[in-house]
Amino acid sequence: MLKNRYKNIKILYVEDDEIARENGVEYLQNFFEQIYEASDAIIALQLYEKYQPDIIITDIQMPKLNGLEFVKRIRQKDKKTQIIIITAFCDKDYLLKAIELGLVKYLVKPVKEKEFEEALFLCVNSLKEDNSNIVKLDIDSYFDIFNKNLLIKNEIVKLRTKEILFLELLLKNKNRYVSYEEIENYVWADSVMTKDALKTLVKNLKTKIPKDLILNLTNSGYKIDV
């Protein structure tokens, strides 16, 4: 049973809309046993201090204290707790603040059940492996594996679908060279990858990220050096 796998994980759910909060808690009960709920960020801070949750799910637009300010207070002393922010907005300023606050997930309303579940399970995996989906490529560059955002010098850089998949694959396997076969299966899926197509993909990606990050080993594959 899924609940048994996650019975030791504590969830704090913060939402000022009562119906949305009730629905959220009911959904979370499918997977977790220890769920604490708050109608605003002030109450949430008190619950955080008392229960030290492993995962926090919070709305941005709330009375008394907004979600970003709430998370900022948490992050002043706690870099480990996994955090999902749910918002009605999707713009550069919010994305940059999410990166700055070390947010695990940034979900835009209306949130699809599959996205929410994926975010939750990635939080659980991050707790176990002690890692983040936000990867620092160099001093001015970040890639958010979950939200598929590349930020260079505080600007969002648009990536094509195959560029996202290729970068994602390299970062998930950053300690080794990824084989051509793995790249074809992951990036090209059901279609055929040619060497020229791969070279073009890498060349284009290198114009968007620090080009020295991607390494090639002849007849073996590619690796990212971060």
Side-chain angles (χ1 to χ4, degrees):
M1 190 176 177
L2 279 174
K3 191 177 283 189
N4 291 333
R5 290 177 59 193
Y6 308 126
K7 65 180 181 180
N8 295 321
I9 292 176
K10 293 177 284 187
I11 307 286
L12 174 57
Y13 188 73
V14 193
E15 167 64 69
D16 65 310
D17 184 286
E18 186 175 350
I19 294 175
R21 190 172 67 255
E22 287 179 1
N23 290 337
V25 169
E26 184 178 347
Y27 176 77
L28 289 168
Q29 286 172 341
N30 291 316
F31 311 104
F32 307 97
E33 292 181 352
Q34 301 182 70
I35 304 167
Y36 309 99
E37 56 181 290
S39 57
D40 63 59
I42 302 299
I43 295 172
L45 283 171
Q46 296 170 350
L47 292 174
Y48 166 80
E49 293 291 345
K50 184 175 181 179
Y51 296 108
Q52 297 295 300
D54 302 292
I55 300 172
I56 296 173
I57 303 162
T58 181
D59 195 9
I60 281 187
Q61 299 287 57
M62 292 187 294
K64 301 181 182 178
L65 190 70
N66 72 47
L68 287 175
E69 185 59 36
F70 163 60
V71 175
K72 191 174 181 181
R73 295 193 187 185
I74 299 291
R75 281 292 183 246
Q76 287 173 352
K77 53 185 176 181
D78 176 359
K79 308 294 184 185
K80 296 288 187 181
T81 298
Q82 303 295 301
I83 299 175
I84 299 171
I85 269 201
I86 299 174
T87 176
F89 303 99
C90 182
D91 61 32
K92 189 183 79 170
D93 289 340
Y94 278 96
L95 291 171
L96 292 175
K97 287 175 182 175
I99 294 289
E100 290 168 7
L101 293 171
L103 298 182
V104 176
K105 298 293 168 296
Y106 180 92
L107 299 177
V108 179
K109 294 179 179 178
V111 179
K112 297 176 182 176
E113 183 177 324
K114 185 178 178 181
E115 289 178 345
F116 191 44
E117 190 172 308
E118 186 181 343
L120 280 170
F121 293 159
L122 190 57
C123 286
V124 171
N125 290 334
S126 295
L127 285 169
K128 292 177 181 177
E129 299 170 12
D130 193 23
N131 60 18
S132 171
N133 63 294
I134 297 172
V135 181
K136 187 174 183 179
L137 303 178
D138 71 358
I139 192 168
D140 294 316
S141 309
Y142 297 86
F143 183 68
D144 183 338
I145 292 175
F146 180 79
N147 294 307
K148 318 297 184 190
N149 290 313
L150 174 65
L151 285 91
I152 308 286
K153 295 181 179 177
N154 288 338
E155 292 293 331
I156 297 173
V157 177
K158 189 170 180 59
L159 295 177
R160 295 170 183 256
T161 301
K162 282 186 170 62
E163 292 170 345
I164 291 172
L165 290 170
F166 181 66
L167 184 55
E168 185 178 71
L169 180 63
L170 294 188
L171 288 170
K172 286 180 177 178
N173 299 277
K174 57 188 177 184
N175 295 321
R176 66 179 180 87
Y177 280 92
V178 179
S179 71
Y180 296 117
E181 183 180 359
E182 289 175 283
I183 295 169
E184 182 174 22
N185 291 337
Y186 192 84
V187 179
W188 270 261
D190 297 329
S191 58
V192 177
M193 178 189 78
T194 65
K195 287 187 176 180
D196 286 341
L198 178 56
K199 285 182 179 178
T200 300
L201 172 63
V202 174
K203 182 180 178 181
N204 290 338
L205 186 57
K206 282 185 173 182
T207 66
K208 300 176 181 180
I209 67 173
K211 62 181 181 180
D212 295 334
L213 290 181
I214 298 179
L215 309 175
N216 176 236
L217 185 61
T218 306
N219 298 323
S220 291
Y222 286 88
K223 178 182 178 182
I224 191 162
D225 185 21
V226 291

